[in-house]
Structures are given as C-alpha cells and as structure tokens.
C-alpha cells in the first residue's frame, strides 16, 4: 500500500485536532499547566519564538498573549487556516511551509519551540541542526516530545542524545502529570530544554 501523503494526513486531522485536551487547551486547568510549564523555561518576554509544526496555533497564540513575538510554521494548509481563524493576537505570524527547513531568519530567534513534531522528521538530527541555526547566540531549544503507546515518537533518551550530538546541553523533564494531557497516561512524554 502506498503511504499517505503526510500533508493530506495532517489536513484530515485538523478539523478535530483541538478536541484533544493538550491540543486545544480548552480546559482552563490544562491551559494553565502548559502556560506555566512553558513560561518556566522560556526567557522573559519580549523575545522571539519560532513555533515549528504549530498545528492550529494553540501554543503560538498562548505565548503571543504573554508578550512574545511568535512565528508559527506548519505545512498543513488546513492547520494554518484554523490557526489564522482563531482570535488574532499581536506579534503572531503563521506561515505554511515545511518545518524541516523553515523559511525563517537565521540567527534571529531567542527560542525554537516544537511540540510533537521532531519525531515526524525523516532525519531528526539534520532537522535539529537547521533549527539550531535559527537561534541567536543565547537562543534555546524547547522540545516537547513523546514515545507514545501507539509506537510512534521519540524516546526521551533518544531526544537527549540528538540534542547532545548537536553539541548542546539538554535538560530533561518528564511530563507524566495528567494535568498536561487531560487524562492519566502511561507512556513517556517529556520536555527537553537546551539553553546552550
Ligand atoms: C501533533 S501536531 C502538533 C501541533 C502543535 N505543535 C501542538 O503541539 O499543538 C503535529 C503538527 O506538525 C505538523 N507537521 C508535521 N510535519 C511537518 C513538517 N515537515 N513541516 C511542517 N509541519 C509539519 C502537522 O501538520 C501538525 O500540525
């Protein structure tokens, strides 16, 4: 069977994407958990963030509301359409493009943020190098990934190794708390922050 085109696959996910508690952040407690988690690892606002594989723009808009300038990139026209349809927040751009090699300014970002997208890249090590090139000298990587019960994803050890192989330090924080996901989980979900 021919594998499905990934853009079509994500386009099909877009309409219901925000129904998952961690995607739409519609539950105030889940929203507050993600807000607090991200603010605890980001530099203070104002700062410039690239949100790669931004989906429906939930985190992009959440962080812009906190005073950050956030550029969201996603290759799915439907995801980007839904992101743009949300109430606008100053300081946000959404670009339809491949996050594997984002069409963003080199060396211009304080943060590259990616939640649940690095795992989907064909060559995550090469992708990570291009993402690091977007960062200024003190820029940090904020990666939220998982090794899900579906079998998809990246293990925490694998992501730490990818970051360290790129010549950077990696701080791992496991995220088993139900408050991030709207339900109990039994797979491995985590945050990796690389400050340098
Ligand atoms: C699991 S969703 C995560 C969305 C968002 N980061 C979040 O946490 O709400 C994965 C997203 O990555 C996007 N994506 C996957 N591969 C991509 C690529 N090569 N370039 C751009 N976007 C990509 C999909 O279209 C989808 O919106």
């Amino acid at each position: 069977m021919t594998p499905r085109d990934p853009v079509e696959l994500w386009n099909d996910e877009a309409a219901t994407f925000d129904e998952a508690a961690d995607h739409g952040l519609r539950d105030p407690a889940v929203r507050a958990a993600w807000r607090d988690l991200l603010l605890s690892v980001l530099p203070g606002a104002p700062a410039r963030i690239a949100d790669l594989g931004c989906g429906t723009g939930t985190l992009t808009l959440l962080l812009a509301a906190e005073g950050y300038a956030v550029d969201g990139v996603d290759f799915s026209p439907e995801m980007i359409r839904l992101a743009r349809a949300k109430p606008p927040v100053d300081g946000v751009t959404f670009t339809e493009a491949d996050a594997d090699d984002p069409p963003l300014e080199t060396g211009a970002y304080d943060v590259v943020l990616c939640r649940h997208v690095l795992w989907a890249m064909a060559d995550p090590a090469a992708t990570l190098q291009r993402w690091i090139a977007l960062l200024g000298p003190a820029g940090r990587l904020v990666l939220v990934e998982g090794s899900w019960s579906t079998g998809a994803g990246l293990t925490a050890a694998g992501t730490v190794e990818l970051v360290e192989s790129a010549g950077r330090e990696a701080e791992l924080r496991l995220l088993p708390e139900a408050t991030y996901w709207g339900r109990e989980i039994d797979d491995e979900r985590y945050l990796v922050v690389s400050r340098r």
Side-chain angles (χ1 to χ4, degrees):
M1 207 166 78
T2 319
R4 284 197 63 200
D5 172 57
V7 175
E8 275 180 27
L9 195 146
W10 285 111
N11 274 340
D12 288 351
E13 294 288 320
T16 55
F17 189 76
D18 279 354
E19 289 172 12
D22 57 314
H23 294 167
L25 304 186
R26 290 168 174 165
D27 177 337
V30 177
R31 186 176 183 81
W34 281 100
R35 176 188 167 281
D36 293 351
L37 177 70
L38 293 174
L39 293 186
S40 75
V41 296
L42 292 175
R48 198 167 176 199
I49 301 176
D51 180 9
L52 303 180
C54 64
T56 57
T58 309
L59 296 184
T60 325
L61 293 161
L62 173 82
L63 294 176
E66 297 295 330
Y68 294 94
V70 196
D71 296 322
V73 174
D74 202 287
F75 68 3
S76 156
E78 268 307 290
M79 292 284 189
I80 290 290
R81 187 183 69 75
L82 291 172
R84 288 182 177 141
K86 289 181 174 175
V89 181
D90 282 349
V92 166
T93 70
F94 288 114
T95 301
E96 185 188 312
D98 194 341
D100 183 40
D101 191 3
L104 299 176
E105 194 182 345
T106 302
Y109 287 86
D110 301 297
V111 178
V112 165
L113 166 69
C114 163
R115 186 173 71 162
H116 301 161
V117 186
L118 185 60
W119 70 276
M121 297 294 155
D123 182 350
T127 304
L128 206 52
Q129 289 290 356
R130 289 187 281 275
W131 292 1
I132 289 167
L134 299 176
L135 294 172
R140 60 184 76 168
L141 286 171
V142 176
L143 307 173
V144 180
E145 290 294 335
S147 175
W148 297 289
S149 47
T150 57
L154 288 170
T155 63
T159 299
V160 166
E161 193 181 329
L162 278 170
V163 171
E164 290 180 345
S165 298
R168 298 189 55 113
E169 291 183 5
E171 297 163 28
L172 170 67
R173 171 165 169 189
L174 298 176
L175 301 175
E177 299 89 349
T179 184
Y180 294 115
W181 315 107
R183 61 185 174 85
E184 298 296 330
I185 59 156
D186 57 9
D187 49 13
E188 185 183 56
R189 304 180 189 203
Y190 58 90
L191 170 75
V192 170
V193 179
S194 171
R195 294 174 209 268
R196 240 323 303 154

